[in-house]
PDB file of all heavy atoms in Angstrom:
ATOM      1  N   SER A 210      -6.113  -9.393  56.980  1.00 98.00           N
ATOM      2  CA  SER A 210      -7.069  -9.420  55.872  1.00 98.00           C
ATOM      3  C   SER A 210      -8.325  -8.677  56.286  1.00 98.00           C
ATOM      4  O   SER A 210      -8.568  -8.434  57.474  1.00 98.00           O
ATOM      5  CB  SER A 210      -7.409 -10.866  55.487  1.00 98.00           C
ATOM      6  OG  SER A 210      -8.113 -11.519  56.545  1.00 98.00           O
ATOM      7  N   GLY A 211      -9.140  -8.325  55.300  1.00 97.00           N
ATOM      8  CA  GLY A 211     -10.395  -7.649  55.586  1.00 97.00           C
ATOM      9  C   GLY A 211     -11.198  -7.475  54.319  1.00 97.00           C
ATOM     10  O   GLY A 211     -10.659  -7.561  53.207  1.00 97.00           O
ATOM     11  N   GLN A 212     -12.499  -7.233  54.498  1.00 96.00           N
ATOM     12  CA  GLN A 212     -13.392  -7.046  53.368  1.00 96.00           C
ATOM     13  C   GLN A 212     -14.092  -5.701  53.489  1.00 96.00           C
ATOM     14  O   GLN A 212     -14.457  -5.273  54.584  1.00 96.00           O
ATOM     15  CB  GLN A 212     -14.423  -8.189  53.320  1.00 96.00           C
ATOM     16  CG  GLN A 212     -15.217  -8.248  52.022  1.00 96.00           C
ATOM     17  CD  GLN A 212     -16.679  -7.912  52.203  1.00 96.00           C
ATOM     18  OE1 GLN A 212     -17.085  -7.348  53.224  1.00 96.00           O
ATOM     19  NE2 GLN A 212     -17.492  -8.215  51.210  1.00 96.00           N
ATOM     20  N   TRP A 213     -14.252  -5.026  52.345  1.00 92.00           N
ATOM     21  CA  TRP A 213     -14.826  -3.675  52.229  1.00 92.00           C
ATOM     22  C   TRP A 213     -14.048  -2.718  53.118  1.00 92.00           C
ATOM     23  O   TRP A 213     -12.837  -2.567  52.931  1.00 92.00           O
ATOM     24  CB  TRP A 213     -16.321  -3.679  52.538  1.00 92.00           C
ATOM     25  CG  TRP A 213     -17.000  -2.433  52.014  1.00 92.00           C
ATOM     26  CD1 TRP A 213     -17.672  -1.503  52.727  1.00 92.00           C
ATOM     27  CD2 TRP A 213     -17.045  -1.980  50.644  1.00 92.00           C
ATOM     28  NE1 TRP A 213     -18.134  -0.489  51.903  1.00 92.00           N
ATOM     29  CE2 TRP A 213     -17.770  -0.760  50.630  1.00 92.00           C
ATOM     30  CE3 TRP A 213     -16.547  -2.490  49.437  1.00 92.00           C
ATOM     31  CZ2 TRP A 213     -17.994  -0.040  49.453  1.00 92.00           C
ATOM     32  CZ3 TRP A 213     -16.789  -1.763  48.261  1.00 92.00           C
ATOM     33  CH2 TRP A 213     -17.504  -0.564  48.293  1.00 92.00           C
ATOM     34  N   SER A 214     -14.636  -2.084  54.145  1.00 94.00           N
ATOM     35  CA  SER A 214     -13.826  -1.167  54.943  1.00 94.00           C
ATOM     36  C   SER A 214     -12.760  -1.914  55.735  1.00 94.00           C
ATOM     37  O   SER A 214     -11.712  -1.328  56.071  1.00 94.00           O
ATOM     38  CB  SER A 214     -14.716  -0.349  55.886  1.00 94.00           C
ATOM     39  OG  SER A 214     -15.410  -1.192  56.778  1.00 94.00           O
ATOM     40  N   GLY A 215     -12.990  -3.194  56.051  1.00 96.00           N
ATOM     41  CA  GLY A 215     -11.922  -3.991  56.650  1.00 96.00           C
ATOM     42  C   GLY A 215     -10.750  -4.123  55.710  1.00 96.00           C
ATOM     43  O   GLY A 215      -9.585  -4.121  56.132  1.00 96.00           O
ATOM     44  N   GLY A 216     -11.031  -4.236  54.407  1.00 96.00           N
ATOM     45  CA  GLY A 216      -9.961  -4.236  53.409  1.00 96.00           C
ATOM     46  C   GLY A 216      -9.269  -2.896  53.319  1.00 96.00           C
ATOM     47  O   GLY A 216      -8.049  -2.820  53.141  1.00 96.00           O
ATOM     48  N   LYS A 217     -10.040  -1.808  53.464  1.00 95.00           N
ATOM     49  CA  LYS A 217      -9.421  -0.481  53.485  1.00 95.00           C
ATOM     50  C   LYS A 217      -8.517  -0.328  54.701  1.00 95.00           C
ATOM     51  O   LYS A 217      -7.443   0.282  54.626  1.00 95.00           O
ATOM     52  CB  LYS A 217     -10.507   0.601  53.486  1.00 95.00           C
ATOM     53  CG  LYS A 217      -9.970   2.032  53.430  1.00 95.00           C
ATOM     54  CD  LYS A 217      -9.178   2.286  52.154  1.00 95.00           C
ATOM     55  CE  LYS A 217     -10.060   2.301  50.928  1.00 95.00           C
ATOM     56  NZ  LYS A 217      -9.276   2.560  49.696  1.00 95.00           N
ATOM     57  N   ALA A 218      -8.936  -0.895  55.834  1.00 97.00           N
ATOM     58  CA  ALA A 218      -8.085  -0.852  57.028  1.00 97.00           C
ATOM     59  C   ALA A 218      -6.761  -1.559  56.762  1.00 97.00           C
ATOM     60  O   ALA A 218      -5.698  -1.085  57.186  1.00 97.00           O
ATOM     61  CB  ALA A 218      -8.808  -1.493  58.208  1.00 97.00           C
ATOM     62  N   VAL A 219      -6.817  -2.684  56.077  1.00 98.00           N
ATOM     63  CA  VAL A 219      -5.585  -3.392  55.717  1.00 98.00           C
ATOM     64  C   VAL A 219      -4.687  -2.487  54.882  1.00 98.00           C
ATOM     65  O   VAL A 219      -3.470  -2.394  55.107  1.00 98.00           O
ATOM     66  CB  VAL A 219      -5.923  -4.686  54.954  1.00 98.00           C
ATOM     67  CG1 VAL A 219      -4.676  -5.283  54.308  1.00 98.00           C
ATOM     68  CG2 VAL A 219      -6.565  -5.706  55.884  1.00 98.00           C
ATOM     69  N   CYS A 220      -5.291  -1.803  53.928  1.00 97.00           N
ATOM     70  CA  CYS A 220      -4.515  -0.916  53.059  1.00 97.00           C
ATOM     71  C   CYS A 220      -3.820   0.180  53.859  1.00 97.00           C
ATOM     72  O   CYS A 220      -2.617   0.423  53.683  1.00 97.00           O
ATOM     73  CB  CYS A 220      -5.423  -0.281  52.006  1.00 97.00           C
ATOM     74  SG  CYS A 220      -6.160  -1.431  50.830  1.00 97.00           S
ATOM     75  N   VAL A 221      -4.565   0.863  54.718  1.00 97.00           N
ATOM     76  CA  VAL A 221      -3.955   1.984  55.425  1.00 97.00           C
ATOM     77  C   VAL A 221      -2.932   1.496  56.445  1.00 97.00           C
ATOM     78  O   VAL A 221      -1.943   2.192  56.707  1.00 97.00           O
ATOM     79  CB  VAL A 221      -5.010   2.908  56.064  1.00 97.00           C
ATOM     80  CG1 VAL A 221      -5.892   3.525  54.994  1.00 97.00           C
ATOM     81  CG2 VAL A 221      -5.843   2.190  57.104  1.00 97.00           C
ATOM     82  N   GLN A 222      -3.130   0.306  57.003  1.00 98.00           N
ATOM     83  CA  GLN A 222      -2.106  -0.226  57.910  1.00 98.00           C
ATOM     84  C   GLN A 222      -0.796  -0.459  57.172  1.00 98.00           C
ATOM     85  O   GLN A 222       0.287  -0.348  57.773  1.00 98.00           O
ATOM     86  CB  GLN A 222      -2.581  -1.531  58.562  1.00 98.00           C
ATOM     87  CG  GLN A 222      -3.745  -1.392  59.532  1.00 98.00           C
ATOM     88  CD  GLN A 222      -3.395  -0.679  60.825  1.00 98.00           C
ATOM     89  OE1 GLN A 222      -2.317  -0.111  61.000  1.00 98.00           O
ATOM     90  NE2 GLN A 222      -4.328  -0.682  61.763  1.00 98.00           N
ATOM     91  N   MET A 223      -0.866  -0.726  55.891  1.00 98.00           N
ATOM     92  CA  MET A 223       0.359  -0.894  55.101  1.00 98.00           C
ATOM     93  C   MET A 223       1.176   0.383  55.029  1.00 98.00           C
ATOM     94  O   MET A 223       2.377   0.338  54.764  1.00 98.00           O
ATOM     95  CB  MET A 223       0.017  -1.359  53.682  1.00 98.00           C
ATOM     96  CG  MET A 223      -0.554  -2.758  53.589  1.00 98.00           C
ATOM     97  SD  MET A 223      -0.970  -3.194  51.879  1.00 98.00           S
ATOM     98  CE  MET A 223       0.676  -3.415  51.175  1.00 98.00           C
ATOM     99  N   THR A 224       0.542   1.523  55.286  1.00 97.00           N
ATOM    100  CA  THR A 224       1.245   2.809  55.194  1.00 97.00           C
ATOM    101  C   THR A 224       1.521   3.423  56.564  1.00 97.00           C
ATOM    102  O   THR A 224       2.044   4.533  56.634  1.00 97.00           O
ATOM    103  CB  THR A 224       0.436   3.811  54.352  1.00 97.00           C
ATOM    104  OG1 THR A 224      -0.726   4.229  55.078  1.00 97.00           O
ATOM    105  CG2 THR A 224       0.013   3.200  53.021  1.00 97.00           C
ATOM    106  N   SER A 225       1.174   2.726  57.634  1.00 98.00           N
ATOM    107  CA  SER A 225       1.345   3.269  58.978  1.00 98.00           C
ATOM    108  C   SER A 225       2.703   2.885  59.554  1.00 98.00           C
ATOM    109  O   SER A 225       2.986   1.695  59.731  1.00 98.00           O
ATOM    110  CB  SER A 225       0.241   2.746  59.905  1.00 98.00           C
ATOM    111  OG  SER A 225       0.483   3.150  61.237  1.00 98.00           O
ATOM    112  N   PRO A 226       3.561   3.843  59.878  1.00 97.00           N
ATOM    113  CA  PRO A 226       4.862   3.498  60.457  1.00 97.00           C
ATOM    114  C   PRO A 226       4.748   2.678  61.740  1.00 97.00           C
ATOM    115  O   PRO A 226       5.573   1.792  61.988  1.00 97.00           O
ATOM    116  CB  PRO A 226       5.490   4.869  60.729  1.00 97.00           C
ATOM    117  CG  PRO A 226       4.847   5.789  59.743  1.00 97.00           C
ATOM    118  CD  PRO A 226       3.431   5.298  59.632  1.00 97.00           C
ATOM    119  N   SER A 227       3.722   2.928  62.551  1.00 97.00           N
ATOM    120  CA  SER A 227       3.604   2.214  63.824  1.00 97.00           C
ATOM    121  C   SER A 227       3.131   0.775  63.650  1.00 97.00           C
ATOM    122  O   SER A 227       3.108   0.012  64.624  1.00 97.00           O
ATOM    123  CB  SER A 227       2.656   2.960  64.765  1.00 97.00           C
ATOM    124  OG  SER A 227       1.421   3.235  64.146  1.00 97.00           O
ATOM    125  N   ALA A 228       2.766   0.379  62.423  1.00 98.00           N
ATOM    126  CA  ALA A 228       2.383  -1.011  62.155  1.00 98.00           C
ATOM    127  C   ALA A 228       3.565  -1.841  61.667  1.00 98.00           C
ATOM    128  O   ALA A 228       3.412  -3.040  61.411  1.00 98.00           O
ATOM    129  CB  ALA A 228       1.258  -1.066  61.126  1.00 98.00           C
ATOM    130  N   ALA A 229       4.741  -1.243  61.543  1.00 98.00           N
ATOM    131  CA  ALA A 229       5.910  -1.956  61.012  1.00 98.00           C
ATOM    132  C   ALA A 229       6.200  -3.208  61.836  1.00 98.00           C
ATOM    133  O   ALA A 229       6.246  -3.166  63.070  1.00 98.00           O
ATOM    134  CB  ALA A 229       7.128  -1.039  61.015  1.00 98.00           C
ATOM    135  N   GLY A 230       6.360  -4.329  61.154  1.00 98.00           N
ATOM    136  CA  GLY A 230       6.714  -5.574  61.798  1.00 98.00           C
ATOM    137  C   GLY A 230       5.565  -6.332  62.419  1.00 98.00           C
ATOM    138  O   GLY A 230       5.756  -7.444  62.923  1.00 98.00           O
ATOM    139  N   LEU A 231       4.353  -5.785  62.385  1.00 98.00           N
ATOM    140  CA  LEU A 231       3.217  -6.445  63.012  1.00 98.00           C
ATOM    141  C   LEU A 231       2.523  -7.445  62.101  1.00 98.00           C
ATOM    142  O   LEU A 231       1.686  -8.225  62.559  1.00 98.00           O
ATOM    143  CB  LEU A 231       2.197  -5.410  63.500  1.00 98.00           C
ATOM    144  CG  LEU A 231       2.677  -4.458  64.597  1.00 98.00           C
ATOM    145  CD1 LEU A 231       1.581  -3.465  64.958  1.00 98.00           C
ATOM    146  CD2 LEU A 231       3.117  -5.243  65.834  1.00 98.00           C
ATOM    147  N   PHE A 232       2.818  -7.438  60.808  1.00 98.00           N
ATOM    148  CA  PHE A 232       2.229  -8.395  59.871  1.00 98.00           C
ATOM    149  C   PHE A 232       3.215  -8.647  58.742  1.00 98.00           C
ATOM    150  O   PHE A 232       4.142  -7.864  58.509  1.00 98.00           O
ATOM    151  CB  PHE A 232       0.885  -7.894  59.338  1.00 98.00           C
ATOM    152  CG  PHE A 232       0.949  -6.538  58.666  1.00 98.00           C
ATOM    153  CD1 PHE A 232       1.234  -6.415  57.322  1.00 98.00           C
ATOM    154  CD2 PHE A 232       0.713  -5.380  59.394  1.00 98.00           C
ATOM    155  CE1 PHE A 232       1.301  -5.175  56.712  1.00 98.00           C
ATOM    156  CE2 PHE A 232       0.772  -4.132  58.798  1.00 98.00           C
ATOM    157  CZ  PHE A 232       1.065  -4.029  57.453  1.00 98.00           C
ATOM    158  N   HIS A 233       2.980  -9.740  58.019  1.00 98.00           N
ATOM    159  CA  HIS A 233       3.952 -10.201  57.029  1.00 98.00           C
ATOM    160  C   HIS A 233       3.343 -10.453  55.653  1.00 98.00           C
ATOM    161  O   HIS A 233       4.075 -10.681  54.690  1.00 98.00           O
ATOM    162  CB  HIS A 233       4.619 -11.480  57.544  1.00 98.00           C
ATOM    163  CG  HIS A 233       5.099 -11.337  58.962  1.00 98.00           C
ATOM    164  ND1 HIS A 233       4.331 -11.735  60.038  1.00 98.00           N
ATOM    165  CD2 HIS A 233       6.226 -10.778  59.471  1.00 98.00           C
ATOM    166  CE1 HIS A 233       4.985 -11.458  61.163  1.00 98.00           C
ATOM    167  NE2 HIS A 233       6.120 -10.878  60.859  1.00 98.00           N
ATOM    168  N   LYS A 234       2.006 -10.397  55.552  1.00 98.00           N
ATOM    169  CA  LYS A 234       1.286 -10.529  54.289  1.00 98.00           C
ATOM    170  C   LYS A 234      -0.050  -9.831  54.459  1.00 98.00           C
ATOM    171  O   LYS A 234      -0.507  -9.637  55.597  1.00 98.00           O
ATOM    172  CB  LYS A 234       1.054 -12.013  53.925  1.00 98.00           C
ATOM    173  CG  LYS A 234       2.298 -12.868  53.897  1.00 98.00           C
ATOM    174  CD  LYS A 234       1.942 -14.340  53.707  1.00 98.00           C
ATOM    175  CE  LYS A 234       3.144 -15.223  53.970  1.00 98.00           C
ATOM    176  NZ  LYS A 234       3.522 -15.224  55.410  1.00 98.00           N
ATOM    177  N   VAL A 235      -0.701  -9.484  53.331  1.00 98.00           N
ATOM    178  CA  VAL A 235      -2.005  -8.832  53.422  1.00 98.00           C
ATOM    179  C   VAL A 235      -2.952  -9.392  52.378  1.00 98.00           C
ATOM    180  O   VAL A 235      -2.549  -9.788  51.281  1.00 98.00           O
ATOM    181  CB  VAL A 235      -1.911  -7.294  53.251  1.00 98.00           C
ATOM    182  CG1 VAL A 235      -0.981  -6.680  54.283  1.00 98.00           C
ATOM    183  CG2 VAL A 235      -1.471  -6.917  51.852  1.00 98.00           C
ATOM    184  N   ILE A 236      -4.237  -9.424  52.741  1.00 98.00           N
ATOM    185  CA  ILE A 236      -5.322  -9.774  51.822  1.00 98.00           C
ATOM    186  C   ILE A 236      -6.378  -8.689  51.941  1.00 98.00           C
ATOM    187  O   ILE A 236      -6.908  -8.443  53.034  1.00 98.00           O
ATOM    188  CB  ILE A 236      -5.953 -11.135  52.167  1.00 98.00           C
ATOM    189  CG1 ILE A 236      -4.918 -12.260  52.093  1.00 98.00           C
ATOM    190  CG2 ILE A 236      -7.124 -11.429  51.222  1.00 98.00           C
ATOM    191  CD1 ILE A 236      -5.443 -13.618  52.574  1.00 98.00           C
ATOM    192  N   THR A 237      -6.671  -8.014  50.848  1.00 97.00           N
ATOM    193  CA  THR A 237      -7.716  -6.993  50.861  1.00 97.00           C
ATOM    194  C   THR A 237      -8.802  -7.391  49.869  1.00 97.00           C
ATOM    195  O   THR A 237      -8.531  -7.597  48.686  1.00 97.00           O
ATOM    196  CB  THR A 237      -7.166  -5.586  50.576  1.00 97.00           C
ATOM    197  OG1 THR A 237      -8.245  -4.646  50.501  1.00 97.00           O
ATOM    198  CG2 THR A 237      -6.350  -5.523  49.300  1.00 97.00           C
ATOM    199  N   MET A 238     -10.028  -7.515  50.360  1.00 97.00           N
ATOM    200  CA  MET A 238     -11.160  -8.002  49.587  1.00 97.00           C
ATOM    201  C   MET A 238     -12.147  -6.870  49.346  1.00 97.00           C
ATOM    202  O   MET A 238     -12.575  -6.194  50.278  1.00 97.00           O
ATOM    203  CB  MET A 238     -11.844  -9.144  50.346  1.00 97.00           C
ATOM    204  CG  MET A 238     -10.929 -10.318  50.673  1.00 97.00           C
ATOM    205  SD  MET A 238     -11.533 -11.379  52.018  1.00 97.00           S
ATOM    206  CE  MET A 238     -13.132 -11.871  51.372  1.00 97.00           C
ATOM    207  N   SER A 239     -12.489  -6.659  48.072  1.00 93.00           N
ATOM    208  CA  SER A 239     -13.501  -5.678  47.682  1.00 93.00           C
ATOM    209  C   SER A 239     -13.166  -4.265  48.121  1.00 93.00           C
ATOM    210  O   SER A 239     -14.059  -3.475  48.416  1.00 93.00           O
ATOM    211  CB  SER A 239     -14.879  -6.080  48.235  1.00 93.00           C
ATOM    212  OG  SER A 239     -15.320  -7.270  47.645  1.00 93.00           O
ATOM    213  N   ASN A 240     -11.891  -3.952  48.196  1.00 89.00           N
ATOM    214  CA  ASN A 240     -11.513  -2.574  48.484  1.00 89.00           C
ATOM    215  C   ASN A 240     -10.069  -2.356  48.059  1.00 89.00           C
ATOM    216  O   ASN A 240      -9.152  -2.547  48.859  1.00 89.00           O
ATOM    217  CB  ASN A 240     -11.673  -2.240  49.959  1.00 89.00           C
ATOM    218  CG  ASN A 240     -12.021  -0.773  50.149  1.00 89.00           C
ATOM    219  OD1 ASN A 240     -11.512   0.074  49.431  1.00 89.00           O
ATOM    220  ND2 ASN A 240     -12.891  -0.476  51.092  1.00 89.00           N
ATOM    221  N   PRO A 241      -9.858  -1.967  46.809  1.00 88.00           N
ATOM    222  CA  PRO A 241      -8.487  -1.729  46.355  1.00 88.00           C
ATOM    223  C   PRO A 241      -7.847  -0.591  47.126  1.00 88.00           C
ATOM    224  O   PRO A 241      -8.510   0.343  47.577  1.00 88.00           O
ATOM    225  CB  PRO A 241      -8.669  -1.367  44.883  1.00 88.00           C
ATOM    226  CG  PRO A 241     -10.070  -0.895  44.763  1.00 88.00           C
ATOM    227  CD  PRO A 241     -10.848  -1.679  45.768  1.00 88.00           C
ATOM    228  N   CYS A 242      -6.548  -0.674  47.288  1.00 89.00           N
ATOM    229  CA  CYS A 242      -5.843   0.310  48.112  1.00 89.00           C
ATOM    230  C   CYS A 242      -5.687   1.659  47.431  1.00 89.00           C
ATOM    231  O   CYS A 242      -5.484   2.664  48.100  1.00 89.00           O
ATOM    232  CB  CYS A 242      -4.466  -0.236  48.493  1.00 89.00           C
ATOM    233  SG  CYS A 242      -4.547  -1.683  49.575  1.00 89.00           S
ATOM    234  N   THR A 243      -5.730   1.697  46.125  1.00 79.00           N
ATOM    235  CA  THR A 243      -5.765   2.974  45.416  1.00 79.00           C
ATOM    236  C   THR A 243      -7.155   3.117  44.826  1.00 79.00           C
ATOM    237  O   THR A 243      -7.818   2.136  44.534  1.00 79.00           O
ATOM    238  CB  THR A 243      -4.713   3.035  44.291  1.00 79.00           C
ATOM    239  OG1 THR A 243      -4.974   1.991  43.342  1.00 79.00           O
ATOM    240  CG2 THR A 243      -3.320   2.858  44.853  1.00 79.00           C
ATOM    241  N   LEU A 244      -7.619   4.334  44.664  1.00 62.00           N
ATOM    242  CA  LEU A 244      -9.004   4.544  44.270  1.00 62.00           C
ATOM    243  C   LEU A 244      -9.092   5.708  43.306  1.00 62.00           C
ATOM    244  O   LEU A 244      -8.528   6.771  43.545  1.00 62.00           O
ATOM    245  CB  LEU A 244      -9.874   4.836  45.496  1.00 62.00           C
ATOM    246  CG  LEU A 244     -11.376   4.824  45.273  1.00 62.00           C
ATOM    247  CD1 LEU A 244     -11.834   3.399  44.976  1.00 62.00           C
ATOM    248  CD2 LEU A 244     -12.104   5.351  46.495  1.00 62.00           C
ATOM    249  N   HIS A 245      -9.811   5.477  42.201  1.00 45.00           N
ATOM    250  CA  HIS A 245     -10.046   6.572  41.268  1.00 45.00           C
ATOM    251  C   HIS A 245     -10.994   7.580  41.919  1.00 45.00           C
ATOM    252  O   HIS A 245     -11.826   7.236  42.737  1.00 45.00           O
ATOM    253  CB  HIS A 245     -10.659   6.036  39.975  1.00 45.00           C
ATOM    254  CG  HIS A 245     -10.762   7.055  38.889  1.00 45.00           C
ATOM    255  ND1 HIS A 245      -9.661   7.706  38.394  1.00 45.00           N
ATOM    256  CD2 HIS A 245     -11.824   7.535  38.216  1.00 45.00           C
ATOM    257  CE1 HIS A 245     -10.039   8.542  37.450  1.00 45.00           C
ATOM    258  NE2 HIS A 245     -11.349   8.460  37.328  1.00 45.00           N
ATOM    259  N   THR A 246     -10.858   8.855  41.559  1.00 44.00           N
ATOM    260  CA  THR A 246     -11.671   9.909  42.153  1.00 44.00           C
ATOM    261  C   THR A 246     -13.160   9.656  41.932  1.00 44.00           C
ATOM    262  O   THR A 246     -13.588   9.321  40.836  1.00 44.00           O
ATOM    263  CB  THR A 246     -11.297  11.273  41.540  1.00 44.00           C
ATOM    264  OG1 THR A 246      -9.911  11.490  41.752  1.00 44.00           O
ATOM    265  CG2 THR A 246     -12.088  12.383  42.188  1.00 44.00           C
ATOM    266  N   VAL A 247     -13.939   9.817  42.972  1.00 45.00           N
ATOM    267  CA  VAL A 247     -15.394   9.704  42.876  1.00 45.00           C
ATOM    268  C   VAL A 247     -15.956  11.046  42.430  1.00 45.00           C
ATOM    269  O   VAL A 247     -15.698  12.071  43.066  1.00 45.00           O
ATOM    270  CB  VAL A 247     -15.994   9.297  44.227  1.00 45.00           C
ATOM    271  CG1 VAL A 247     -17.505   9.191  44.135  1.00 45.00           C
ATOM    272  CG2 VAL A 247     -15.404   7.973  44.691  1.00 45.00           C
ATOM    273  N   PRO A 248     -16.725  11.105  41.319  1.00 42.00           N
ATOM    274  CA  PRO A 248     -17.184  12.400  40.820  1.00 42.00           C
ATOM    275  C   PRO A 248     -18.444  12.897  41.503  1.00 42.00           C
ATOM    276  O   PRO A 248     -19.207  12.152  42.077  1.00 42.00           O
ATOM    277  CB  PRO A 248     -17.484  12.094  39.351  1.00 42.00           C
ATOM    278  CG  PRO A 248     -17.911  10.668  39.365  1.00 42.00           C
ATOM    279  CD  PRO A 248     -17.117   9.999  40.455  1.00 42.00           C
ATOM    280  N   ARG A 249     -18.645  14.201  41.439  1.00 38.00           N
ATOM    281  CA  ARG A 249     -19.920  14.799  41.826  1.00 38.00           C
ATOM    282  C   ARG A 249     -20.890  14.678  40.646  1.00 38.00           C
ATOM    283  O   ARG A 249     -20.539  14.214  39.573  1.00 38.00           O
ATOM    284  CB  ARG A 249     -19.749  16.296  42.113  1.00 38.00           C
ATOM    285  CG  ARG A 249     -18.837  16.690  43.249  1.00 38.00           C
ATOM    286  CD  ARG A 249     -18.937  18.210  43.355  1.00 38.00           C
ATOM    287  NE  ARG A 249     -17.829  18.811  44.041  1.00 38.00           N
ATOM    288  CZ  ARG A 249     -17.815  19.085  45.329  1.00 38.00           C
ATOM    289  NH1 ARG A 249     -18.830  18.727  46.069  1.00 38.00           N
ATOM    290  NH2 ARG A 249     -16.774  19.676  45.877  1.00 38.00           N
ATOM    291  N   GLY A 250     -22.096  15.163  40.858  1.00 40.00           N
ATOM    292  CA  GLY A 250     -23.071  15.144  39.786  1.00 40.00           C
ATOM    293  C   GLY A 250     -22.699  16.032  38.611  1.00 40.00           C
ATOM    294  O   GLY A 250     -23.100  15.767  37.487  1.00 40.00           O
ATOM    295  N   ASP A 251     -21.919  17.094  38.864  1.00 38.00           N
ATOM    296  CA  ASP A 251     -21.559  17.977  37.763  1.00 38.00           C
ATOM    297  C   ASP A 251     -20.262  17.544  37.091  1.00 38.00           C
ATOM    298  O   ASP A 251     -19.743  18.233  36.219  1.00 38.00           O
ATOM    299  CB  ASP A 251     -21.436  19.431  38.247  1.00 38.00           C
ATOM    300  CG  ASP A 251     -20.357  19.592  39.316  1.00 38.00           C
ATOM    301  OD1 ASP A 251     -19.682  18.588  39.649  1.00 38.00           O
ATOM    302  OD2 ASP A 251     -20.194  20.720  39.819  1.00 38.00           O
ATOM    303  N   GLY A 252     -19.744  16.390  37.512  1.00 38.00           N
ATOM    304  CA  GLY A 252     -18.525  15.879  36.888  1.00 38.00           C
ATOM    305  C   GLY A 252     -17.254  16.276  37.597  1.00 38.00           C
ATOM    306  O   GLY A 252     -16.190  15.725  37.311  1.00 38.00           O
ATOM    307  N   SER A 253     -17.310  17.221  38.546  1.00 37.00           N
ATOM    308  CA  SER A 253     -16.098  17.617  39.256  1.00 37.00           C
ATOM    309  C   SER A 253     -15.828  16.654  40.404  1.00 37.00           C
ATOM    310  O   SER A 253     -16.741  16.010  40.908  1.00 37.00           O
ATOM    311  CB  SER A 253     -16.244  19.040  39.795  1.00 37.00           C
ATOM    312  OG  SER A 253     -17.328  19.119  40.693  1.00 37.00           O
TER     313      SER A 253
END
């Protein structure tokens, strides 16, 4: 489990082949594993 960037760490560990079998459940707080694009000031 983790909160904010700790939650992001949980997310990326879910996609790491070398983490296979090291955990059996996850809790991610205040950091969803997918993220909508953050815009610039000009909208791009």
Side-chain angles (χ1 to χ4, degrees):
S210 66
Q212 192 248 16
W213 198 240
S214 61
K217 183 62 69 180
V219 168
C220 295
V221 298
Q222 293 290 9
M223 292 178 72
T224 71
S225 174
S227 52
L231 296 179
F232 57 88
H233 311 94
K234 306 173 192 69
V235 302
I236 300 174
T237 176
M238 302 160 58
S239 294
N240 211 322
C242 294
T243 60
L244 191 68
H245 188 59
T246 303
V247 179
R249 298 184 200 266
D251 61 2
S253 60

